[in-house]
Amino acid sequence: MAGFNESNTVQRPILDLLVGAGWKHIPGYQLDRHTEDVLIEADLLTALARLNPAVAEAPERAAELLSPLRSLMLSAREDGLVPTNQHFLEWLRGQKTHRFTGRDVFDPVQLIDFTNPAANILVVSDEVTFGTQGHFCRFDLVLFVNGIPLVVIETKTRLDARITWLKAAHEIHTIYEPGWAEFFVPNAFSVATDGKDFHYGAAGQDIESWGVWGNTEEEILPAGWPRVKRSVELLLNPETVLSVVADFTVFELKAKHSGVPRLNKIVPRYPQVEAVRAIHTRALHSTKRQGLIHHTQGSGKTLAMLFAAVKLVNEPRLKNPSIVLIADRVQLVTQMYRQFLRAGMPSLEAPENAADLRRILGEDRRGIIFTTVHKFKNAGVLNTRENIIVLVDEAHRTQEGQLGKFLRAAFPNARFFGFTGTPIADEDRNTYELFGDPDDPNHAMNTYDSDRSIADGTTVPMHVSPRLVDFHIRKTDLDKAFDELAAEEGLTEDEQEYVAAKATDTRTFFANLERVEKVCADIIDHFYSIIDPLGMKAQVVAYDRALCVAYQEELARQLKARAGGGTPDEAVIVMSVQSKDEPGWQEHKLTDLGEENILNRFRQLGDPLKFIVVTAKLGTGFDAPIEGVMYLDKPMKLHTLYQTITRTNRNWKNPLTGQEKRYGLIVDYVGLGDGFARAMSPANPEHARKEIEIGSLLEQFEIEIANVLDRFAGIDRNNTGFEALQAAHDRLPDDKALERFAAQYGMLQGIWEAAYPDLRLENHRSDYKWLSKVYASVAPADDTRDLLWHRLGAKTLELVHGHIGEVTVRDTGVDVVIADEGTIKRLIEAGVIDPDAGSGETQVTTAAEVVDNIASRLRKRLEGTNGDHPVYKTLSERLERLRERQLAKAQESVDFLRDLLDLARDVAAAEKAEDESGVPGLDLLPDPNTGALTQIFEEYRPEGVPVIVGKVVADIDAIVKEVRWDGWNNTKEGDKAVRIAIRKVLVRYGLPASGDLFDHAYAYVSENY
C-alpha cells in the first residue's frame, strides 16, 4: 500500500479541485507539444480561428502569428523576463494588430476570449516537462488557456515541517524563472503551496511580497488545508485567472534597495479585486451612484484605485468616461499620477491649477484626470455628464466640508467612490453616510481591516513601547524669581496672570532643552541597539515645527559625537516652511523634488540618512517599508494617530541578511494610553450625526445681514480701501453704536459657523467678508498683551526652564501589541470597544436653539471688559499641576497598555456573574436614593469648591430620580421632557442651555439611568 507523499496529499487534491472548477485534465506526457515548446500550438491555432474573423476566413493565416510569439518568448534571455512578459501581455489582452496575407488592413489579434472564459480551451496538466536535452525542468501543475501557459503551480509535501511553500516559491523564482525564462514569458502568476500555506506571485516578484488569496466576506482561516483549498477555489478558477490578466496586472519602474530602477510586475491582492469589481458593478447600476471602500492603511488603496480606473475607462458600456481621481494634498496627487504614468497608463491629465482643471473639463476631456479637491473651490458646475466617475483617496479628510460640497456641485450627475483606511463616524462627520450605501454591509462595498491584513501578511503587527519622561520643579525658587521679575517690570496682577498663563502651556515642557536632549539620547540609544542592526530606519514625530528643528539639531549633535572622527549618520527634517517663518528654519525648506530625493534616500538600505523628523508631514501617502520604528513625541488621537503610526506597518526584508520586519514599533514619549485602543476602534456607520435646521438658519442669516448692511447703505462694498473703511467708521459714531454693531456681527458670525459648509452661504460671502473687515477694524485689540509677551516671554520661559530639575527618561519595560490579527476582535469581545457606540437617532438642533446659543455666547462676551478669567495662581502651582497631569497620563498609559484586556475581561465576567447571581451583585450599585453624580462629588470634591456647583449636581441627580422608568429615552415625549428639565436647571444657575455642558449632563442622565 502506497504511503503519503507530495503527490497524493497536495498535488492530486489541488488537481481535483481545478478539474471541478472547469479545467480539463491532460497529463503532461499526453500534451500535444514537444518538450521544448512553450505553447500547445494546436490549441492556440484552434482558438485563433474561433476568435479572429480574418483567421476563420483563411485558417492558414493562424500560422503567421506563431512566429512573432515564438520570437518574443525567445527574446526573454536577452531583453529580460519582466519586460518581455509585459510585451506578451499586450498580445494576451488583444492590444496587438497584424496584417494578414491577402488583407490590406491591420486586424486586431485576439488570443483569449475574456468575455466568456468557459469558451476557451482550459487545460490543467501535471508533471509538465520543458526544456532541451540535458537542460530541462518539470513543473508540478500548469494551467493552459488556448495552449498558453498562464499559471505555474509548484507543490511541496505537507508531511515534512522543514519543507514549506517558501521552498516551492524559491524554486520558481530563483531556479525556474532564470533557468527557463521562455516558459514564463506568457505567465500571469505562479503559485507555491505545501498544503498548509498558499502564496502566489508575478514573474520576477520577490518572494517576501508574494500574496495570499481569500475573501473579505468569509472568516479568516488559519493555516492548513482548508485555507489552501479555499484559495484554489477563489483564485484558480478560469474567470479569476483571466480577470487578473485582463484587468489586474500593471508594470512599474521602481527603484529598490540598490537605488537602480527596475521594471516590476504587479498583480493584485484579493481585496483590490473585490473592490474594483464592486465599483465596476455600482458604476453600471441604474440608480445607485456612490460607494465606500474601506481598506486599512498600507494594504494598497492606491493600486486599487489604479485597477479601478483602468477597468472603468475601458468599459464600453460607460461610453468613453472621464475618471477623476481626487486627493487632498498635491503630493498625494503627484505620487498617484507618477504611479499611473510608470504603469503605462494612457490618456492621463494632471492640471496644474484650478483654471487648467476647468479648461480640461470644459473641453469635455475623457480619460483619467488627477487633481486635488482644493481646485474645485467656487468652481460651479463643470460638467453634467453621467459617465463621470470620481474616485476619492483618503475620503475621510476633506470631503465632509465645503470643498467636498464644491466637488459634488461641479459634477451633479457623477458617481462618487471613496477610498479610506480610517472612516470617521461621529456627531460632525460620517464617511459612511457621505460615500456609503445603507444597503451595503456595514455601509461599505468592501472592507479589509487591519486584523485581516495582518493575518494575510499584507501588513505587519504594531507594538508600542511606552517611556516615562519625568522631571521636578523647584517651586519656591521659581515663584520668588517670577515675583522679582514682575516687580522689576512693574506688572499688574492681570499682566502677571497673562504672562503666567502663556508660560504654563503644555508645549513648555516639550520644549525644555534638557528634555529634548534626554529624549534624543534615548532615541539614539534605542535605535542603535534595536533598530539599526536590522537595517531599518526611524521617523521622529515632534510636537510642532519649532521642536522639529530642536530635535534635528540635537540628534545631529549627538550623532556627530557618536561617530567620533568618522562620518555621522544623518537626521533630516521634512516640514512645510514658508518665507515668513523663522530665519533659522529656511535651511530646512524643501522643494517637491528635494523632498522626494530625501524620502528616496531614507528608503535606501545603507544610506546614512537614518532619521526623518516631522510634525504633520508624511502622515498619509508615505510608504517606506524600511521604517521600523516611530519615536512619537506629539499628542494625537483617533484617525490621525492611526494614520501616523501605520507608517511602520509595511513589510520589509533586509536583502543582505534575509531578516524580516516582524512588527512596526512605536516608542511613546507622550503617554497616549487608551488612545491607541480608540485609534484602532472601527467607526460605527450608524453613529448619529447632529443636524441643524439649515433652511431656517439661513433665513435668519439673511434677515440679520440685511439689517446690518442697512447701517452702511451707500458705501461701496467692492472698495476695500481706506476711504470705504473710514466711511464705515463714520456710521459707528459712539460706543452705543459700536456695541450694537458688535452684537449684530457676533450673531452673523455664529450663524455662519453653524451653517457652514452649506453652499448657499456663498451668495453672501462677499458681504460677510466686508463686514468682517469692518468689525476687525473697530473691535478692541489688546496689542499691548502681545507686546508684553514679546518683551517678557523669553525671560519667563528661561525662568521656567531654569527651575525645572533633572529630566529622566525611563524605559517601562513594556512592549504591548496594539495591532495584530485579532486585536479588534479581542477589544470588542472584552468590552473595551463598543461597536455600537454613538448609534441612535440623529439629534436635530433647531435654528432657534442655535440662535439662542449664539446670543448666550454674545452676552457672556459682553459682560465686563475681559470676561471671567481664572483666579491668579502662582507660576509654580500651574506648572506643577501640568507636570503631574502629564506624568499621571504617561503612567496611566503604561498601566492601561499592560492591564487593559485582562481588566476588561474581568469586568465583563463580573457583569455576567451579576446577571446570573442576581441580588448580591446589586449591592455594588449606587444608593438608589442618592445619585451617582452626587456620591462622587461628595467623596472627591476639592476644598473651597463653590456651593453653587453642589446645587447644580444635586438638581441634575434630582432629574435622574424622576426618569427611572424603563424606556423613557425611547419615546419622543420622555426624551423631550428630560431635555427641558436639564435646560431649566442650567438656566436657573445662569449656565448655557445648550452646548458642551448640556451635552455632558444629558449623556450622564441617558447613559447611566
Side-chain angles (χ1 to χ4, degrees), residues 174-187:
T174 62
I175 299 176
Y176 295 154
E177 286 182 357
W180 294 270
E182 302 91 333
F183 199 84
F184 291 88
V185 169
N187 182 266

Side-chain angles (χ1 to χ4, degrees), residues 526-591:
H526 178 272
F527 178 80
Y528 285 103
S529 60
I530 305 295
I531 305 300
D532 189 60
L534 302 177
M536 293 186 287
K537 298 190 178 183
Q539 186 175 165
V540 180
V541 182
Y543 188 85
D544 58 20
R545 292 186 300 158
L547 279 163
C548 280
V549 175
Y551 271 70
Q552 188 273 336
E553 291 175 350
E554 181 60 25
L555 286 170
R557 186 188 69 79
Q558 294 191 25
L559 289 170
K560 183 178 181 180
R562 184 179 183 278
T567 303
D569 287 337
E570 299 174 39
V572 175
I573 298 173
V574 177
M575 70 180 191
S576 298
V577 179
Q578 308 300 325
S579 56
K580 63 182 180 181
D581 286 329
E582 298 286 338
W585 297 5
Q586 298 304 317
E587 65 180 278
H588 303 294
K589 188 173 183 178
L590 295 171
T591 63

Side-chain angles (χ1 to χ4, degrees), residues 251 306 336-345 348 370:
F251 292 81
L306 187 156
M336 283 196 297
Y337 176 71
R338 287 175 178 167
Q339 188 162 12
F340 276 56
L341 203 62
R342 288 193 297 259
M345 284 295 301
L348 301 180
F370 297 82

Side-chain angles (χ1 to χ4, degrees), residues 65-87:
L65 297 173
L66 293 181
S67 179
L69 294 178
R70 291 180 189 135
S71 297
L72 186 57
M73 289 181 287
L74 290 173
S75 68
R77 294 190 178 278
E78 183 175 343
D79 297 338
L81 172 57
V82 178
T84 312
N85 183 277
Q86 182 183 28
H87 293 150

